[in-house]
Amino acid sequence: MNEQASGHRAGPVRSAAARDAILAATARLFQGQGYDHLTIEGIAKEAGVGKQTIYRWWPSRGALIAECLTDGRLIPIDFDVPYSGDLLRDVEEWLGSVLAILETPHGAMLLRSLVAAAAEDAEVGDHLSASLGVDRHLAERLAAGIRDGQLAADAPVELLGHAVLGTIIVQSLTRRPDVAGALRELVRYLVAAR
Amino acid sequence: MNEQASGHRAGPVRSAAARDAILAATARLFQGQGYDHLTIEGIAKEAGVGKQTIYRWWPSRGALIAECLTDGRLIPIDFDVPYSGDLLRDVEEWLGSVLAILETPHGAMLLRSLVAAAAEDAEVGDHLSASLGVDRHLAERLAAGIRDGQLAADAPVELLGHAVLGTIIVQSLTRRPDVAGALRELVRYLVAAR
Amino acid sequence: MNEQASGHRAGPVRSAAARDAILAATARLFQGQGYDHLTIEGIAKEAGVGKQTIYRWWPSRGALIAECLTDGRLIPIDFDVPYSGDLLRDVEEWLGSVLAILETPHGAMLLRSLVAAAAEDAEVGDHLSASLGVDRHLAERLAAGIRDGQLAADAPVELLGHAVLGTIIVQSLTRRPDVAGALRELVRYLVAAR
Amino acid sequence: MNEQASGHRAGPVRSAAARDAILAATARLFQGQGYDHLTIEGIAKEAGVGKQTIYRWWPSRGALIAECLTDGRLIPIDFDVPYSGDLLRDVEEWLGSVLAILETPHGAMLLRSLVAAAAEDAEVGDHLSASLGVDRHLAERLAAGIRDGQLAADAPVELLGHAVLGTIIVQSLTRRPDVAGALRELVRYLVAAR
DNA sequence: GACTAAGCGAGACGGTACGTCAAGTCTTGTC
DNA sequence: GACAAGACTTGACGTACCGTCTCGCTTAGTC
């Protein structure tokens, strides 16, 4: 009845507690049971929240996962690559922290689930590679390697990052036993001085 | 009265027509709608078949996809790698036929769906990389390249195959526009004479 | 600082505009869609009013309907029974105006909805029979008929009113085609000189 | 795959156990909680049955109630009217058995709920008046009364039945205290020798 | 040639989850 | 403090599939 002339609407504001509970529940269930088996109803129950509150703010399961990623609730945010001067050592350090994900209890399943989510939802793929720092940190470190003369000048730095991440994914999808060893060998070859 | 020791039971055997109808329907629906949205009921209806007939012979959706793969109903079987003497040219030819999948109408979605299926079902991953000839044909061609002196002796041939396939997957999952160009650049770098 | 002992509270009082908008919306929606399908949210939206404003003043859907009835927003208020000296003619005139409700576009549904509301909420039933004037006007006219010697002395005037209204209801609930004709026949029999 | 030439379809047949459990649960819950508060989910849970099994065979809550009525699960089926020669006594006996419904623990609510259901679903109204024997048994008994000279020749027998039932309904909806007494008075008046 | 036993199309069944709607309560900011 | 707006939890809606289980055939051996 009363007309408001104000520019922004009145009324209650998004509940930070609900948002946090939902994302926490999503992360917990995702890590425990994988992407299939992850249901909106399950999340709502786990979070003690109404389903509608989820549907109000997220359009899909994928969007939830994507936001969990950007919040660092599934894997650490923004894997860094150090700069010690030794390119191979630096890349291997980054690789080690990425591969550490696979060492955690359900790490392999977690990664496969992230791949499944990324296959279904574009956002997830972007946030995943962003989290791992493939495009930013790793590519930049490789570029620095070129400047330092430790990598061929024509090395496609961004693609090499995708190649490393992709290899991890392929090995995970085909359930290879020693992903870590294989990846270390690959990186050693790719980054070898020429 | 007395139990027969006969090795083979009485009654009709597995219907080849049903098997074919089921796999054909699976392939059709998978290509049209993707892995999520692919349902057993949908396949049964499309194939004009009872659900039980599917459950009798395949334990899961993934198994159906895996068998479609080995039957070459989703992507061509057994991508070959020619041997012309020129390693780069041969690998690029193989790469071209793999990338051709992405050019088909729903090719990108098909690949993402295969990845989703592989993430859920181990079998699919194996059959996928087998179909593409990554481990056998490509790795062997690379090994021959080493013998021919066109590739570094310490090149991890199998891992390089995974790296190429993995890069395709990563780029597909992040919806990159020019996967083909990028892959050609990567291969050129990996296979470059040292 | 110091609390005033003033008898009337601070702040605005009940908004007459809101009350009217709510009742008008209720009547509109009730007539258009029936009692089931009538929702508080729908009324609030239709009235341009917050839900809380409805809940603040009415305890239930039924109370809204009851108030619409006493306001004459659903059916005319207080059907009168004339006194011409001819009992049958007077009762038939009352009957005609009651049956006129059924002739309106969604009249039959309106009546059924009122019955549904009355079945759920006691208030509605009272207000309904009050609106129709069954207990007051009709019963009194019948009593006058007894005094005039046009109706048997032992006629249970109030019950006869319920019988007439009840017959309308039963015929409406069973979707009889010619309720009006039937009711005229019934009234003629009930009020017949003995 | 195999084409059947048979006229009626193969496959499993409707489960009598499920049908019975569903109707029993419906009747139980309807009597306990009334028509509003009666939910399909509640019935399914109470019956130990999937929701779909209900939706497969009944289009609406009303249809369930209607079938409960024809099965005699809510009120006795087919109230009879005796023929003793004394019209008033016979009608009062029928009336007594109808009013007995109101004496049961939640009898008044049961009747109101039936009215609510009838207001929403046409079928229920028909089955309700059929169950009570208003149109068949009572109307026929009244017709016999006319033949016996105990009722005026022009008495609209069917309408009188509706009037009696309608009066019960109106009195129930307005929560009158002594419905039984009132009805007995009404019937005595209606059936009085002229 | 009759008898069996399995395969088959169909689809009913008890479930789980979907995404939507509305209930009634609570919160925010405006008047 | 009433109000419009609308977020919140709860719970039911009606639908889609799951995987299992009859049905009433058809058919391929075995006796």
Side-chain angles (χ1 to χ4, degrees):
Chain A
M1 284 286 102
N2 304 7
E3 305 294 330
Q4 253 91 46
S6 154
H8 53 54
R9 59 163 208 74
V13 96
R14 178 170 183 178
S15 157
R19 175 182 176 279
D20 187 72
I22 289 166
L23 292 177
T26 300
R28 203 154 46 238
L29 294 174
F30 184 80
Q31 282 166 330
Q33 323 172 322
Y35 187 60
D36 51 338
H37 304 134
L38 181 71
T39 67
I40 300 286
E41 289 209 334
I43 294 168
K45 178 153 294 181
E46 175 84 6
V49 133
K51 273 199 287 180
Q52 197 61 249
T53 301
I54 299 178
Y55 285 112
R56 184 156 28 234
W57 301 111
W58 292 275
S60 64
R61 265 190 327 164
L64 280 164
I65 297 303
E67 190 156 343
C68 281
L69 277 172
T70 59
D71 265 29
R73 306 178 105 111
L74 292 175
I75 55 176
I77 257 174
D78 232 17
F79 285 87
D80 226 328
V81 191
Y83 182 91
S84 70
D86 181 342
L87 177 60
L88 179 57
R89 192 202 298 167
D90 291 348
V91 171
E92 280 189 324
E93 195 162 325
W94 170 86
L95 181 65
S97 54
V98 169
L99 291 173
I101 297 170
L102 290 177
E103 310 298 330
T104 60
H106 304 85
M109 191 197 69
L110 172 61
L111 179 58
R112 283 197 305 272
S113 278
L114 284 170
V115 171
E120 201 179 287
D121 190 295
E123 239 186 320
V124 176
D126 293 332
H127 289 276
L128 177 57
S129 81
S131 270
L132 297 175
V134 172
D135 289 314
R136 245 185 328 135
H137 302 302
L138 182 57
E140 279 171 12
R141 183 64 191 86
L142 291 172
I146 292 178
R147 285 194 296 276
D148 296 345
Q150 294 177 329
L151 195 61
D154 63 341
V157 289
E158 192 173 298
L159 289 174
L160 287 181
H162 287 190
V164 171
L165 174 56
T167 307
I168 297 176
I169 289 175
V170 167
Q171 301 237 331
S172 289
L173 292 188
T174 52
R175 270 79 168 174
R176 297 292 156 122
D178 181 27
V179 180
L183 260 292
R184 262 181 274 273
E185 188 186 351
L186 177 68
V187 162
R188 222 174 299 127
Y189 175 77
L190 291 180
V191 175
R194 304 234 174 178
Chain B
M1 217 36 22
N2 51 348
E3 301 295 329
Q4 294 295 333
S6 156
H8 58 321
R9 47 165 200 69
V13 290
R14 177 171 186 178
S15 156
R19 176 183 176 279
D20 187 72
I22 289 166
L23 292 177
T26 300
R28 202 154 47 236
L29 294 173
F30 185 82
Q31 282 167 330
Q33 322 172 323
Y35 188 59
D36 51 341
H37 304 135
L38 181 71
T39 67
I40 299 287
E41 291 208 332
I43 295 169
K45 181 148 289 181
E46 174 85 5
V49 133
K51 277 199 286 178
Q52 197 57 251
T53 303
I54 300 179
Y55 283 112
R56 185 156 28 233
W57 302 111
W58 291 275
S60 65
R61 262 190 329 164
L64 279 165
I65 297 303
E67 190 156 344
C68 281
L69 277 172
T70 59
D71 264 29
R73 304 179 106 110
L74 292 175
I75 54 176
I77 254 174
D78 229 18
F79 286 86
D80 225 330
V81 190
Y83 184 91
S84 71
D86 181 342
L87 177 60
L88 179 58
R89 191 203 298 168
D90 291 349
V91 171
E92 282 190 322
E93 195 162 323
W94 169 85
L95 180 66
S97 53
V98 169
L99 292 173
I101 297 170
L102 290 177
E103 311 297 331
T104 60
H106 302 83
M109 190 197 72
L110 172 62
L111 179 57
R112 284 197 305 272
S113 278
L114 284 170
V115 172
E120 200 179 290
D121 190 297
E123 234 187 324
V124 176
D126 294 332
H127 287 274
L128 177 58
S129 80
S131 270
L132 297 175
V134 172
D135 290 315
R136 251 195 311 142
H137 301 303
L138 181 59
E140 279 171 11
R141 182 64 191 83
L142 291 172
I146 294 178
R147 285 194 297 278
D148 295 346
Q150 293 177 328
L151 195 63
D154 63 340
V157 290
E158 192 172 299
L159 289 174
L160 287 181
H162 287 189
V164 171
L165 174 56
T167 307
I168 297 176
I169 289 176
V170 167
Q171 301 238 333
S172 289
L173 292 189
T174 51
R175 271 79 168 175
R176 298 290 156 125
D178 181 28
V179 180
L183 260 291
R184 262 182 275 274
E185 187 186 351
L186 176 70
V187 162
R188 221 173 298 127
Y189 174 79
L190 291 179
V191 175
R194 306 236 175 178
Chain C
M1 208 58 5
N2 51 346
E3 302 294 330
Q4 295 296 333
S6 153
H8 59 309
R9 48 168 196 67
V13 291
R14 178 170 184 180
S15 156
R19 177 184 176 277
D20 187 71
I22 289 166
L23 292 177
T26 301
R28 203 155 45 238
L29 294 174
F30 185 81
Q31 281 166 329
Q33 322 171 324
Y35 188 59
D36 51 340
H37 303 135
L38 181 72
T39 66
I40 299 287
E41 291 209 332
I43 294 169
K45 180 147 291 179
E46 174 84 6
V49 132
K51 279 199 286 177
Q52 197 56 251
T53 303
I54 299 179
Y55 284 111
R56 186 158 25 235
W57 302 109
W58 292 274
S60 65
R61 261 190 330 165
L64 279 165
I65 297 302
E67 190 157 343
C68 280
L69 276 172
T70 59
D71 264 29
R73 306 179 105 109
L74 293 175
I75 55 176
I77 251 174
D78 231 18
F79 286 88
D80 225 330
V81 190
Y83 182 91
S84 70
D86 181 341
L87 177 61
L88 180 57
R89 192 201 298 167
D90 292 349
V91 171
E92 283 189 322
E93 196 163 323
W94 170 86
L95 181 65
S97 53
V98 169
L99 292 173
I101 297 170
L102 291 176
E103 310 296 331
T104 59
H106 302 84
M109 191 196 71
L110 172 62
L111 179 57
R112 285 197 304 272
S113 277
L114 284 170
V115 172
E120 200 179 289
D121 191 296
E123 234 187 323
V124 176
D126 294 332
H127 287 274
L128 177 57
S129 81
S131 270
L132 296 174
V134 171
D135 289 315
R136 250 191 316 139
H137 302 302
L138 182 58
E140 280 171 11
R141 182 64 191 85
L142 290 172
I146 293 179
R147 285 195 295 277
D148 295 345
Q150 293 177 328
L151 195 62
D154 63 339
V157 290
E158 192 173 299
L159 289 175
L160 288 181
H162 287 190
V164 172
L165 174 56
T167 307
I168 298 175
I169 289 175
V170 168
Q171 300 237 333
S172 289
L173 292 189
T174 53
R175 271 79 168 174
R176 297 290 155 124
D178 181 28
V179 179
L183 259 292
R184 263 182 273 273
E185 187 186 351
L186 177 70
V187 163
R188 222 173 297 129
Y189 175 78
L190 291 180
V191 175
R194 301 232 176 179
Chain D
M1 285 283 105
N2 304 4
E3 305 294 330
Q4 253 92 43
S6 157
H8 54 55
R9 61 163 209 75
V13 97
R14 179 170 182 179
S15 157
R19 175 183 176 278
D20 187 71
I22 289 166
L23 292 177
T26 301
R28 203 154 46 237
L29 294 174
F30 185 82
Q31 283 167 330
Q33 322 173 320
Y35 188 58
D36 50 339
H37 304 134
L38 181 71
T39 66
I40 298 285
E41 288 208 335
I43 295 169
K45 180 153 292 180
E46 174 84 6
V49 134
K51 273 199 286 180
Q52 198 60 49
T53 301
I54 299 179
Y55 284 111
R56 182 151 36 229
W57 301 110
W58 290 275
S60 64
R61 265 189 328 163
L64 279 165
I65 298 302
E67 190 156 342
C68 281
L69 277 172
T70 59
D71 265 29
R73 306 178 104 111
L74 293 174
I75 54 176
I77 259 174
D78 233 17
F79 285 87
D80 225 328
V81 190
Y83 183 90
S84 70
D86 181 342
L87 178 59
L88 180 57
R89 192 202 298 167
D90 291 349
V91 171
E92 282 190 321
E93 195 162 326
W94 169 85
L95 182 65
S97 53
V98 169
L99 292 172
I101 297 170
L102 291 176
E103 311 296 331
T104 59
H106 302 84
M109 191 197 70
L110 172 62
L111 180 58
R112 284 197 305 273
S113 278
L114 284 170
V115 171
E120 201 178 288
D121 191 295
E123 238 186 320
V124 176
D126 294 331
H127 287 277
L128 177 57
S129 81
S131 270
L132 297 175
V134 171
D135 290 314
R136 251 195 312 142
H137 302 304
L138 181 59
E140 280 171 11
R141 183 63 192 86
L142 291 172
I146 293 179
R147 283 194 298 277
D148 295 346
Q150 294 178 329
L151 195 62
D154 64 339
V157 291
E158 193 173 298
L159 290 174
L160 289 181
H162 286 189
V164 172
L165 175 55
T167 307
I168 298 175
I169 289 175
V170 168
Q171 301 238 331
S172 289
L173 293 189
T174 51
R175 271 77 168 176
R176 298 292 154 122
D178 181 27
V179 180
L183 260 292
R184 262 181 275 274
E185 187 186 350
L186 177 70
V187 162
R188 222 173 298 127
Y189 174 78
L190 291 179
V191 175
R194 304 228 176 182

